[in-house]
Amino acid sequence: MSDPQFTHLDSAGHARMVDVSPKEPTHRRAVARCNVQMQPETIAAIVNREVKKGDVLSVARVAGIQAAKRTSDMIPLCHPLMISSVSVNFEVGDDRIIVEAHVDCIERTGVEMEALHACSVAALTIYDMCKSADRAMTITDLALWEKTGGRSGTYRRASEVAASKEADQA
């Protein structure tokens, strides 16, 4: 990024909501991921549904979906969007849960913030539901992994592209 353009700033440097009215609606999609690292015993309690607050992953999934729909309420310069689809999925490892959120819409602006918001709220929900057993949990590596649609085209995180090429060669 040799010449970054901050579209949420006007010529005087003041915050503004970007005018997207001249844009045509297109199919937009974004994928975000993060990790919730925890003790193996906490993972076991989640998998075996032994957490007293309830089914952690089901609650986290609903929280993430709800968060995607409410992103513009939390991020001041985000446009309210008619989201077509949200999915929140989990990959459970020995000492972490990878949270992945997919968001789709047909709009004039992208859904990157909605995917990131869904992912982070799902991770925070996991933390909230398990904190009494494991206060040392950490939420790490929140990032946009993919974005499609709109004038800027497709973006895929570099490590995702490398992993995809390795899979194709195997």
Side-chain angles (χ1 to χ4, degrees), residues 53-162:
K53 286 188 175 184
D55 182 345
V56 173
L57 299 182
S58 291
V59 174
R61 177 175 284 114
V62 172
I65 292 167
Q66 183 177 2
K69 297 186 323 181
R70 303 290 303 267
T71 300
S72 66
D73 291 342
M74 300 305 299
I75 312 294
L77 302 179
C78 282
H79 292 83
L81 301 176
M82 286 294 294
I83 294 173
S84 304
S85 172
V86 180
S87 64
V88 178
N89 297 300
F90 307 99
E91 182 182 322
V92 179
D94 293 335
D95 65 348
R96 78 188 67 229
I97 296 175
I98 299 171
V99 181
E100 183 173 277
H102 296 244
V103 181
D104 286 90
C105 73
I106 298 175
E107 282 284 357
R108 290 178 161 87
T109 190
V111 288
E112 296 92 335
M113 295 308 299
E114 287 73 10
L116 289 161
H117 193 220
C119 197
S120 63
V121 169
L124 287 166
T125 300
I126 292 169
Y127 185 96
D128 177 57
M129 293 185 72
C130 300
K131 69 182 182 255
S132 64
D134 188 355
R135 292 204 188 274
M137 287 180 289
T138 58
I139 298 169
T140 64
D141 304 321
L142 176 64
L144 179 69
W145 279 80
E146 181 180 318
K147 171 228 131 5
T148 61
R151 185 174 35 208
S152 64
T154 298
Y155 164 81
R156 286 195 175 82
R157 190 164 192 77
S159 57
E160 177 75 357
V161 171

